[in-house]
Amino acid sequence: MNTPTPTPSLAQAAPPPASLRHRTRTVLREAGIGVALVCLVAVFAMLSPIFLTSNNITNIFTQISINVILAVGMTFVILIGGIDLSVGSVMAFCAVVAGTVLKAEGLDVGAAIALALLASVAVGALCGLANGAISAYWAIPSFIVTLGMLNIARGAALQWTQARSIYEFPDAFNDFGSATVFGAPAIFLVALALVAIGWFVLNRTVFGRLIYAIGNNEEAVRLAGHNVRAYKIAAFVICGAAVGVGAVIYMTRLTIASPISGIGFELNAIAAVIIGGTSLSGGRGSIIGTLLGACIIGVLANGLILIGMSDFLRQMVTGFVIILAVVLDVYRARLTRAAD
C-alpha cells in the first residue's frame, strides 16, 4: 500500500527570512551611497537652519556642477583600471584656448561661443588621446603618463597667455553661468545632461559593456577579438572631452579664462568617482554613483562651512571621507564576491 507523501507546511516551504546581517549587506552593496547622502543631508539640516533653504540648495547644485562634469569623464577612465591626474591642468589649457577664440575679432556672439566650445572640447580630447595612446601602446601606467600631462598642459596654458588671464567675454556667455531654468542652475542641468549621456553609453551600448569588461578582465576581452587599446584610448578621449566642456562652463562662472585655474580639481573628480562606488581596480561602478559621490562632496563642503568649521578642519574631514570611501569600496567588493 502506497503511503502519500506528506505535504510540507507553509513554515517549512517558505524560505527562511533574511537575517539582519544579510539585509545590511544588501543595502550597503546596492544603495549605500544613497543612504549616506540622505544621512549627511539630515545631519546638516539639524545643525544649520539655513541648510535646506532653496537658496542654499541652489548654491550646492551650482558648486558641484563642474566636479560632476569632470567626474563623468573620470568614471570612464577609472572603470578601465586607469586614472587621470591631468584634468585640472588640461581644463586650464582648454579654457585659455576657448577664451582666445571668444575674443577673436570678426565673429558674432553665437558663432564665437560655439567655436569656443568646439575648440575647448577638441583640445581636451587631444590631451586625452595623448594620455590614452601613450599609456595603451607603451604599457605605461596612466598614473605616470597623466602626471606628465599635468605639467605639460599647465605649462602650455601659461605659455599660451604669457601667464595672463583672458577676460571681457560677451555678456551672453557670462550670463549663462548665473542663469536658472525653472529654479535650477543652468550649468547644473548641463552636468545632468552629461550624466544622462554617460549612463546611456555605459549601460545601453556595446562600448559601455566592453569598458566594464576591460576593467574586470582585460586579457579575456583581448582574447575575444576586441581591440583593447582602442577602447582604452577612447576612455581617455571621453575624459578629455568632458574636461573641455567643464572648462567652458567654469569660464561662465568666473567670467575669465585663467592659466592657473583648475588646481586640485583632479582630486575632487577622483574623490567623487571613488566615493560613488567605482572601484579603483576597474570594472565596477556607475555614473549615477559618481553623481551621488559629487553630491556628497558638495553637501559636506557646504555644510561644514555653514556650521563654521575652519579650512584646515574641512580638509581633514574631507580627507577622512575619501579614505573611508576607499575602505568601503574594498568591503563592497568582498560583499559582491560573497554574494556571487
Side-chain angles (χ1 to χ4, degrees), residues 3 6 12 37 39 54 80 83 130-131 138 173 199 201 207 231 254 267 282 297 333 335-336:
T3 304
Q12 292 173 325
L37 178 59
C39 292
S54 59
I80 63 170
I83 199 164
N131 285 334
W138 279 274
F173 179 80
W199 178 89
V201 170
F207 174 83
Y231 286 101
L254 291 181
L267 300 181
I297 293 175
L335 294 181
T336 301

Side-chain angles (χ1 to χ4, degrees), residues 31 53 62 64 120 163 199 230 240 247 259 264 268 272 293 327:
T53 60
T62 301
I64 69 173
S120 182
W199 178 89
N268 287 334
V327 172

Side-chain angles (χ1 to χ4, degrees), residues 196-209 212:
I197 294 171
W199 178 89
F200 179 83
V201 170
L202 287 176
N203 293 277
R204 292 293 184 267
T205 67
V206 174
F207 174 83
R209 288 195 289 272
Y212 280 104

